[in-house]
């Protein structure tokens, strides 16, 4: 066993988990509080990627571009909420699924037209392109460190917001018992708008910080959306803590699977069979994980109390 | 000594830090109407949820009609002969009144894996359902969509659906909630006429109805039974008067 | 069959849908658009998938976002056997139906333990898993799919699926059979349990129904019906590929059901005709047709609940029970 | 009333397309992907067809030529539907285009059953080069594994001993891997096929670093390439381990690489049957006219294939004296392939796939425009390995 590789892969899995968490956090809150199935959450991730790319190009600064993109994301999220999604809160899940599916089709096409089929991207400034060597000979690209650090920071801010502030108290209350918040005489509409805006910013932030690595293209939101679904289902819908743990778990299992499953399979089967089965199994691992967890706990690992 | 139909021992249910049911013991005799009263938040509805199997209890046992049902599913408790009604009307709104009741009838007639024959034209289901509606005085509304019934009528339908399962025991969760005085007294009369035929656990805020109907009353406060006895005993119980009924 | 149904707009519309399907092989050449017969054949195959989705979603309230996966399983039953030279329909079809039923049983058994939003997402996730699995199986073409050289062989003289008209009417007859089965089933005792569970699942439990088993049965029946759509699709297109189970197709199926009128017998057929003709027309107008289609979908959801059937039902005087 | 509108509108809209046929036109139906992010290739190919059309003077065998383009939306069932429409409604004489093997797999049988000649301008479906070869099926591009086989040979020539293989987990991706493994003589120290949904290679890149190969073979076309090559540099691998790619760096995406300032791509090698600076007169004219037609871009091999596809059809029609319906004569003319190809001279095997040279190409920056330049011939007259499985 190569321990350096193992450590690096652990690190990589963690980073994937962070991105998943940022997307899943908003998704799980929006589900939990507004009971809204928002397929277009992946679209918000794409928004973040494209807006930041353009703003980074305009300002010629990674940091400035991304910081400017955050309020743009908030505005886009609020606009979307105000124009279409707000009317969907009282609709059933089916209407929500369909309408947000329509949004996906529309925005994917729109972005394709505006930015062209090649999409767009962000170039890292020279100070972020190097690699860091950690003790034990583990080398990691600097920028991936930045992702982890900023992702953890956001997760921490979110934790403080949700567990230490009045708004956070309402969010938690809303996630476990929607009627109760209404009964407390809170302006529900405002709370919903706020939560949606927060979710949009988080998804957008994930989209923008991953863009220097994956680049941005129309349709990028859907594969992350489905992964985020898996994450929040595992974590328990409405639970930020669940989303965090499930995201890290998913990221680690997916990465470890891709890294070591072929080696593991070679122990029990011949090369050809292992080479065929390896990629198939590693791409199914997280779904199998989800199936197992649901078979044991149908409401996920951390269902919000009272749900 | 009459037989014990329902025996609840040391039943506990926590919600987080909150204790909703606290080592509760209740015995309901066969054929009696046993009312459970208590202030809001005393854990009455939670108790019904636990008894009907909607909520899993943290600990304690429930015996019904000689068998332990503590871990039985709702559907099986119903088949064993214990059925509940809902405080907040829970009916099939897009079905006709008759079909609502017919669903209960169908449930007691064995499995429903019958895929072909038109159940709408099933004389057995419709006939029995109509009988129940006649008993409840809803026969004229049989073909109306349940959603289009007046509130009081929906409450009656709620009880009719429970009765149609042919139960031994009814768990009635505020059957008179939201009814006008006329409907309320009709239901009271009806329940009275059913006395002896069914064992009933009644939760109700309408104290006139409770004291008119109940053979025995258990007073629930913070998930604990603070008193249990005949209406007269409860009326005369200083502690209950003070804590709950008021001193009038 | 009486003529009563022709007295309501819905009745006329429904009759028209069926007549259009019956006579398309003659209408199309008459208007010089032969290829319309193919379009309608394809529409009816999609309609079967939509009918099966409607059974669980429209009547049973189970929003499956992975329904297309069963089309794929049925299709691959034909494709895989054909690639091994086994062309007998008596092997291909039963296996195809059984496999779609089996997958539905497994997916349903896990997904139905959960509710609402969870159910939507889990069915989607499972469908994606099977999609990726099929892409990674190189032996059966991977994403390139399988070209099917010979259609299913029923061994009946003068009955040959290679004949276009035979194929067309095989699809038609099976689609009508699915419509009839749905109609029979939703009014049966079983169907009432499913519909009541959609209306109020908790109450069903308290009046004595363990609804899980009923819902799972409905899910399996729908899976098999959808597998039938796949069997037909493989024969009709002479081709199967993982693409037929991609999640967007599941989304389109949901839309078809809603557009046509959810929880009505004929809704899925009307929805399939309108959806597929519309996408054909829009894609001929512009390559960027999703730009129009996306908002159209949203408008339908926001303002045309109940779909076409619901709209037409407004013209009816008495609120009649769903037929 | 509404229902009538609902039904009548689409019918009317479809009927509105005139179906009256102009006499004696030669019609070529072209199915490409013109939507989705994959349209980056389709749009170049469309332009190349138009260049070929211009070079033919809008005529084939003396008759007026009409090109009808359709978009397959990257979906096999749509591709098939469009092919049916072209065959049955537009009554085209030839079908060409077809970028993707799955679209081709669904569509080609329709055309072949209808007795039409079908020319794949890109999809190198290996079954059609072998078992499924058909007298009316031509491929003006390559068979999937040919190019990576050439790459394997080139790696041998360049002395690569330890190779790490990275590809996508789908049919073409696996065929690329099979191709390079068939000819590469050194050690394969690692191999990863990632699902198409993945855009983050952190795990794979870590494995590459640990394996320390002296070359990395990649097949990451389109947007995968953009993402992968970016991460390759971020991991610092561009400085230690040379990249050898197939179908990942081409004329269609080089302008994008240049726009994104991915300078580490300059100097990397790939293989291909053609390059824009391949020295022949036809190619020079094609490259120059293509740039005029399409944003000043240098054509990609996709464009070159599209151009040759139409020229191949033209050669057939010419040989049949302008009688496109005389399929036998047309086919014979196409088999002889007596036309000016951008590859210089072109010839076909009995399976109707080209037998052709493959070249090592290197990314260079010439006059501020990144492009691919021929370095040397890697293999000559290469035919698909499954050619002998074809029973024509």
């Amino acid at each position: 066993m190569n321990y350096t590789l193992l450590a690096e892969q652990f690190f990589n899995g963690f980073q994937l988990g962070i991105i998943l968490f940022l997307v899943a956090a908003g998704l799980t809150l929006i589900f939990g509080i507004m009971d809204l199935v928002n397929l277009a959450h992946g679209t918000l991730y794409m928004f973040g990627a494209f807006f930041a790319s353009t703003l980074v190009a305009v300002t010629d600064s990674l940091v400035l571009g991304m910081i400017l993109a955050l309020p743009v994301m908030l505005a886009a999220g609020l606009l979307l909420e105000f124009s279409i999604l707000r009317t969907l809160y009282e609709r059933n899940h089916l209407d929500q699924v369909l309408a947000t599916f329509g949004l996906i089709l529309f925005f994917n096409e729109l972005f394709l037209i505006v930015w062209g089929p090649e999409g767009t991207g962000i170039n890292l400034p020279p100070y972020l392109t190097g690699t860091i060597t950690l003790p034990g000979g583990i080398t990691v690209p600097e920028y991936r460190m930045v992702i982890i650090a900023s992702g953890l920071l956001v997760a921490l801010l979110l934790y403080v917001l949700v567990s230490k502030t009045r708004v956070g108290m309402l969010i938690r209350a809303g996630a476990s018992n929607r009627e109760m918040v209404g009964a407390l005489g809170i302006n529900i509409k405002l709370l919903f708008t706020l939560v949606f805006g927060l979710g949009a910013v988080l998804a957008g932030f994930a989209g923008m910080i991953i863009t220097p690595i994956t680049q941005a293209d129309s349709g990028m939101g859907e594969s992350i959306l489905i992964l985020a679904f898996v994450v929040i289902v595992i974590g328990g819908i409405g639970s930020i803590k669940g989303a965090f743990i499930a995201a890290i778990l998913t990221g680690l299992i997916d990465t470890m699977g891709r890294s070591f499953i072929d080696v593991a399979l070679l122990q029990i089967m011949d090369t050809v069979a292992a080479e065929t089965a390896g990629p198939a199994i590693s791409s199914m691992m997280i779904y199998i994980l989800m199936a197992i967890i649901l078979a044991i706990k149908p409401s996920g690992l951390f269902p919000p109390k009272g749900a | 000594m009459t037989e014990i139909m329902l025996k609840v021992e040391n039943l506990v249910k926590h919600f987080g830090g909150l204790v909703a049911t606290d080592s509760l013991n209740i015995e309901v005799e066969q054929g009696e109407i046993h009312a459970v009263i208590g202030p809001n938040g005393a854990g009455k509805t939670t108790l019904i949820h636990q008894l009907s199997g909607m909520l899993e209890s943290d600990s304690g046992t429930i015996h019904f009609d000689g068998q332990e049902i503590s871990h039985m599913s709702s559907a099986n408790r119903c088949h064993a002969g214990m059925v509940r009604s809902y405080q907040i009307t829970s009916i099939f709104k897009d079905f006709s009144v008759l079909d609502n009741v017919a669903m209960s009838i169908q449930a007691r007639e064995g499995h429903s894996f019958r895929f072909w024959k038109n159940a709408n034209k099933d004389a057995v289901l419709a006939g029995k359902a109509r009988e129940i509606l006649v008993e409840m005085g809803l026969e004229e509304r049989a073909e109306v969509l349940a959603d289009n019934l007046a509130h009081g009528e929906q409450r009656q339908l709620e009880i009719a659906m429970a009765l149609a399962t042919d139960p031994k025991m009814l768990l009635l969760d505020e059957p008179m909630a939201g009814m006008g005085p006329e409907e309320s007294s009709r239901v009271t009369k009806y329940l009275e006429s059913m006395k002896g035929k069914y064992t009933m656990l009644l939760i109700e805020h309408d104290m006139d109805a409770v004291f008119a109907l109940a053979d025995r009353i258990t007073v629930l406060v913070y998930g604990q039974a603070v008193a249990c006895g005949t209406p007269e005993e409860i009326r005369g119980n200083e502690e209950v008067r003070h804590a709950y009924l008021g001193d009038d | 069959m009486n003529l009563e149904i022709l007295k309501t707009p819905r009745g006329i519309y429904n009759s028209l849908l069926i007549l259009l399907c019956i006579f398309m092989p003659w209408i199309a050449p008459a208007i010089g658009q032969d290829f319309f017969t193919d379009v309608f054949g394809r529409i009816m195959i999609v309609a079967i998938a939509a009918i099966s989705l409607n059974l669980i979603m429209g009547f049973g309230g189970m929003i499956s976002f992975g329904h297309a996966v069963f089309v794929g399983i049925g299709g691959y039953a034909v494709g895989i056997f054909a690639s091994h030279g086994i062309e007998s329909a008596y092997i291909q079809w039963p296996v195809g139906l059984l496999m779609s039923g089996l997958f539905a049983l497994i997916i349903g058994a896990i997904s139905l333990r959960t509710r609402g939003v969870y159910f939507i997402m889990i069915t989607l996730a499972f469908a994606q898993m099977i999609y990726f699995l099929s892409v990674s199986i190189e032996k059966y073409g991977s994403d390139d799919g399988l070209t099917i050289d010979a259609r299913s062989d029923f061994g009946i003289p003068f009955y040959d699926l290679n004949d276009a008209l035979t194929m067309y009417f095989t699809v038609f007859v099976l689609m009508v059979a699915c419509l009839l089965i749905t109609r029979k089933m939703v009014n049966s005792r079983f169907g009432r349990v499913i519909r009541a569970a959609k209306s109020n699942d908790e109450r069903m439990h308290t009046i004595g129904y363990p609804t899980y088993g009923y819902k799972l049965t409905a899910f399996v029946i729908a899976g098999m019906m959808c597998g039938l759509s796949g069997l037909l699709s493989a024969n009709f297109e002479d081709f199967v590929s993982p693409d037929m189970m991609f999640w967007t197709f599941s989304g389109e199926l949901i839309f078809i059901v809603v557009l046509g009128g959810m929880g009505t017998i004929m809704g899925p057929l009307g929805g399939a005709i309108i959806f597929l003709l519309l996408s054909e027309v829009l894609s001929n107008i512009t390559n960027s047709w999703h730009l129009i289609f996306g908002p159209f979908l949203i408008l339908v959801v926001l303002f045309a609940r109940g779909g076409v059937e619901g709209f037409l039902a407004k013209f009816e005087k008495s609120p009649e029970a769903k037929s | 009333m509404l229902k009538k509108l609902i039904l009548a509108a689409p019918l009317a809209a479809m009927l509105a397309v005139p179906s009256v046929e102009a006499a004696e036109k030669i019609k070529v139906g072209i199915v490409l992907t013109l939507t989705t992010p994959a349209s980056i290739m389709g749009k170049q190919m469309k332009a190349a067809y138009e260049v070929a059309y211009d070079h033919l003077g809008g005529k084939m065998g003396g008759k007026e030529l009409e090109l009808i383009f359709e978009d397959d939306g990257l979906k096999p069932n749509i591709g098939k539907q469009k092919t049916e429409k072209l065959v049955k409604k537009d009554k085209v004489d030839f079908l060409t285009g077809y970028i993707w093997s799955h679209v081709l797999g669904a569509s080609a049988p329709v055309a072949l059953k209808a007795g039409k000649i079908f020319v794949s301008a890109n999809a190198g479906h290996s079954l059609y080069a072998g078992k499924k070869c058909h007298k009316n099926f031509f491929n003006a591009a390559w068979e999937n594994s040919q190019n990576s086989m050439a790459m394997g040979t080139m790696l041998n020539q360049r002395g690569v001993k330890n190779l790490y293989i990275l590809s996508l987990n789908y049919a073409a991706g696996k065929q690329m891997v099979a191709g390079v493994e068939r000819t590469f003589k050194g050690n394969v120290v690692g191999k990863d096929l990632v699902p198409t949904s993945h855009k983050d290679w952190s795990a794979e890149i870590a494995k590459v670093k640990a394996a320390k190969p002296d070359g990395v073979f990649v097949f990451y076309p389109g947007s995968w390439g953009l993402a992968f090559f970016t991460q390759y540099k971020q991991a610092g691998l561009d400085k230690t381990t040379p990249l050898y790619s197939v179908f990942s760096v081409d004329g269609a995406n080089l302008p994008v690489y240049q726009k994104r300032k991915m300078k580490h791509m300059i100097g990397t090698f790939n293989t291909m049957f053609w390059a824009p600076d391949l020295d022949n007169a036809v190619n020079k004219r094609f490259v120059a006219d293509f740039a005029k037609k399409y944003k000043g871009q240098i054509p990609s091999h996709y464009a070159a294939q599209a151009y040759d596809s139409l020229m191949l059809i033209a050669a057939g029609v010419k040989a049949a004296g302008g009688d496109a319906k005389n399929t036998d004569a047309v086919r014979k003319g196409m088999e002889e392939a007596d036309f000016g190809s951008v590859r210089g001279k072109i010839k076909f095997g009995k399976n109707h796939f080209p037998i052709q040279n493959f070249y090592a190409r290197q990314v260079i920056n010439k006059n501020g425009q990144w492009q691919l330049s021929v370095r040397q011939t890697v293999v000559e007259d290469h035919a698909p390995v499954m050619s002998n499985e074809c029973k024509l």
Side-chain angles (χ1 to χ4, degrees), chain A residues 2 5 8-9 12-13 15-16 109 112 115 117-124 128-131 139-144 210-220 223 227 254-256 258-263 275-276 279-280 282-283, chain D residues 34-41 43 164 169 174 177 181 188 191-211 223-224 226-228 230-231 233-236 239 252 256 258-262 294-295:
Chain A
N2 180 338
L5 182 61
E8 282 185 24
Q9 299 299 34
N12 288 327
Q15 179 242 306
L16 175 61
E109 197 66 50
L112 196 61
W115 275 277
E118 76 272 20
T120 179
I122 297 175
N123 275 324
L124 288 176
L128 283 176
T129 48
T131 57
T139 58
V140 193
E142 279 168 359
Y143 185 69
R144 287 190 190 267
I210 201 67
T211 301
I213 288 183
T214 63
Q215 311 279 5
D217 58 353
S218 155
M220 68 189 282
S223 38
L227 284 180
D254 185 70
T255 305
M256 290 301 169
R258 284 192 287 146
S259 319
F260 301 112
I261 198 112
D262 47 354
V263 186
E275 278 178 4
T276 311
S282 68
S283 65
Chain D
L34 298 169
T35 52
T36 81
S39 58
I40 194 164
M41 297 119 129
K43 285 179 175 160
Y164 202 103
N169 191 24
K174 288 181 177 174
V177 175
E181 286 185 326
V188 175
K191 180 160 66 171
D192 282 308
L193 287 88
V194 303
T196 50
S197 57
H198 270 276
K199 285 282 174 66
D200 189 342
W201 281 264
S202 57
E204 291 74 17
I205 283 174
K207 283 165 88 175
V208 171
K209 277 201 281 185
S223 62
W224 289 286
L226 270 172
F228 175 78
T230 305
Q231 292 165 39
K233 178 169 192 310
Q234 284 165 5
K239 297 192 183 68
V256 185
Q258 182 171 14
K259 204 163 128 196
R260 307 266 169 93
K261 303 190 182 74
M262 293 162 67
Y294 196 73
K295 310 183 204 167

Side-chain angles (χ1 to χ4, degrees), chain A residues 222-241:
Chain A
E222 278 68 78
S223 38
I224 196 89
L225 174 77
I226 291 167
L227 284 180
F229 275 170
V230 172
V231 165
I232 66 170
V233 164
I234 292 176
I237 293 175
S239 164
I240 292 275
K241 179 174 134 197

Side-chain angles (χ1 to χ4, degrees), chain A residues 13 53 69-70 79 83-84 87 105 132 134 165 199 201 212 215 236 251 289:
Chain A
S53 297
L70 290 174
L79 194 67
S83 58
I84 291 166
T87 55
L105 297 180
I132 298 171
L134 299 174
T165 66
V201 171
Q215 311 279 5
L289 172 77

Side-chain angles (χ1 to χ4, degrees), chain D residues 9 11 30 131 172 196 198 227 230 277 342:
Chain D
L11 285 173
I30 303 168
K131 285 190 201 98
T196 50
H198 270 276
T230 305
D277 61 352
V342 292

Side-chain angles (χ1 to χ4, degrees), chain D residues 8-278:
Chain D
L11 285 173
M14 296 181 99
L15 295 178
V17 183
S19 59
V20 187
E21 297 205 19
E24 285 294 308
K25 240 187 203 177
I26 290 179
K27 290 186 178 180
V28 177
I30 303 168
V31 176
L32 297 169
T33 308
L34 298 169
T35 52
T36 81
S39 58
I40 194 164
M41 297 119 129
K43 285 179 175 160
Q44 271 223 359
M45 291 175 80
K46 184 165 185 274
Y49 277 115
E50 284 160 358
V51 171
Y53 178 89
D54 292 345
H55 286 186
L56 288 166
K59 283 191 168 21
M60 260 191 199
K63 288 183 183 150
E64 208 179 316
L65 171 66
E66 185 186 352
L67 305 183
I68 305 170
F69 291 96
E70 291 288 351
D71 169 39
D72 61 34
L74 198 52
K75 289 184 180 160
N77 58 338
I78 304 286
K80 187 191 177 218
Q81 202 170 318
K82 299 292 186 189
T83 306
E84 278 168 358
K85 178 183 158 280
L86 288 168
V87 169
K88 294 189 177 173
K89 184 177 170 196
D90 300 314
K91 306 218 161 34
V92 297
D93 301 293
F94 300 91
L95 284 142
T96 182
Y98 300 95
I99 302 179
W100 310 96
S101 287
H102 62 336
V103 178
L104 182 143
S107 308
V110 177
L112 297 176
K113 271 186 191 169
K116 307 289 179 194
I117 289 181
F118 185 103
V119 184
S120 168
N122 187 66
H125 204 308
S126 51
L127 281 178
Y128 282 88
K131 285 190 201 98
K132 270 193 188 303
C133 69
H134 189 283
K135 62 177 182 173
N136 286 340
F137 183 96
F138 284 79
N139 178 310
W142 25 262
E143 182 277 319
N144 263 350
S145 61
Q146 271 189 291
N147 195 21
S148 60
M149 284 175 71
M151 176 53 87
T153 309
M154 190 192 97
L155 291 167
N156 296 337
Q157 289 167 358
R158 297 187 66 84
V160 174
K161 292 281 178 283
N162 295 308
L163 184 68
Y164 202 103
I165 294 176
L166 288 170
S167 183
L168 285 167
N169 191 24
Y170 66 78
K174 288 181 177 174
Q175 286 162 4
M176 296 301 155
V177 175
V180 74
E181 286 185 326
R182 207 173 282 144
T183 51
F184 177 64
K185 294 201 176 72
N187 299 322
V188 175
V189 294
K191 180 160 66 171
D192 282 308
L193 287 88
V194 303
T196 50
S197 57
H198 270 276
K199 285 282 174 66
D200 189 342
W201 281 264
S202 57
E204 291 74 17
I205 283 174
K207 283 165 88 175
V208 171
K209 277 201 281 185
K212 298 191 174 59
D214 45 32
V216 176
F217 168 89
V218 297
F219 169 67
Y220 287 131
S223 62
W224 289 286
L226 270 172
F228 175 78
F229 295 131
T230 305
Q231 292 165 39
Y232 198 76
K233 178 169 192 310
Q234 284 165 5
L237 276 168
D238 59 317
K239 297 192 183 68
T240 57
T241 319
L243 270 174
Y244 301 95
S245 65
V246 289
F247 299 111
S248 308
V249 182
D250 56 50
N253 60 21
L254 258 185
V256 185
Y257 289 147
Q258 182 171 14
K259 204 163 128 196
R260 307 266 169 93
K261 303 190 182 74
M262 293 162 67
K263 291 205 184 80
H264 63 291
M265 298 311 294
I266 292 176
T268 61
F269 277 91
N270 59 60
T271 46
M272 192 48 78
F273 67 91
W274 172 89
D277 61 352
L278 206 58

Side-chain angles (χ1 to χ4, degrees), chain C residues 146-211:
Chain C
L146 283 172
T147 304
I148 296 163
D149 296 323
R151 291 181 173 176
S152 298
D153 181 6
F154 282 86
I156 303 169
F158 309 113
Y159 180 77
D160 181 4
L161 287 184
N162 287 306
D163 175 60
L165 217 55
T166 308
M167 183 74 223
Y168 185 89
F169 280 101
T170 302
V171 173
F172 174 76
V173 167
L174 288 172
M175 180 194 72
V176 171
C178 288
L179 288 171
L180 289 176
I181 288 171
T182 307
R183 186 187 163 132
K184 269 300 197 183
M185 202 145 65
V186 298
N187 286 315
S188 72
R189 287 195 174 196
F190 175 78
R192 279 157 64 121
V193 173
I194 296 302
R195 279 156 53 209
K198 178 196 179 193
S199 177
N200 189 343
D201 192 56
E202 183 180 320
R203 186 66 197 236
M204 283 300 278
H205 279 98
T206 51
I207 60 171
Y209 292 94
T211 53

